[in-house]
Amino acid sequence: ATLNGSVEDEQGSMIKGAKLTLRDPARGLERETLSDASGAFSFAQIPPSSYQLTVENSGFAVARFERLTLNANDLRSLRVTL
């Protein structure tokens, strides 16, 4: 599975350097990435499971997504507003 998307503020401006943490509590796996200059992020080759996603950046409230289910061959896009 692949999870990609963008991180933006409430005015719609893209946020560079936001830290995204994808956790699989059942397996104890964790992956991190940062949003790029255009606010984009991507997690590729993710095993099917139910995940937690945390998005944080200095000066913004933390965004959390619980029970984010990804199946084999899913290509999921997520728009995150901080």
Side-chain angles (χ1 to χ4, degrees):
T2 298
L3 174 64
N4 60 30
S6 61
V7 182
E8 59 188 50
D9 65 19
E10 292 179 348
Q11 288 74 40
S13 297
M14 296 303 167
I15 298 176
K16 174 187 175 183
K19 179 181 170 187
L20 298 101
T21 306
L22 188 66
R23 291 184 185 89
D24 179 350
R27 294 190 178 125
L29 301 175
E30 181 174 297
R31 291 175 59 181
E32 293 183 352
T33 192
L34 298 175
S35 58
D36 67 14
S38 63
F41 68 89
S42 182
F43 291 98
Q45 299 180 343
I46 304 168
S49 193
S50 182
Y51 290 91
Q52 299 169 339
L53 177 66
T54 304
V55 185
E56 52 193 314
N57 196 47
S58 180
F60 294 91
V62 175
R64 289 186 174 85
F65 299 86
E66 304 288 334
R67 295 184 214 101
L68 187 62
T69 302
L70 296 171
N71 299 304
N73 301 319
D74 275 359
L75 177 55
R76 181 84 53 92
S77 185
L78 187 63
R79 188 170 158 183
V80 180
T81 303
L82 296 182

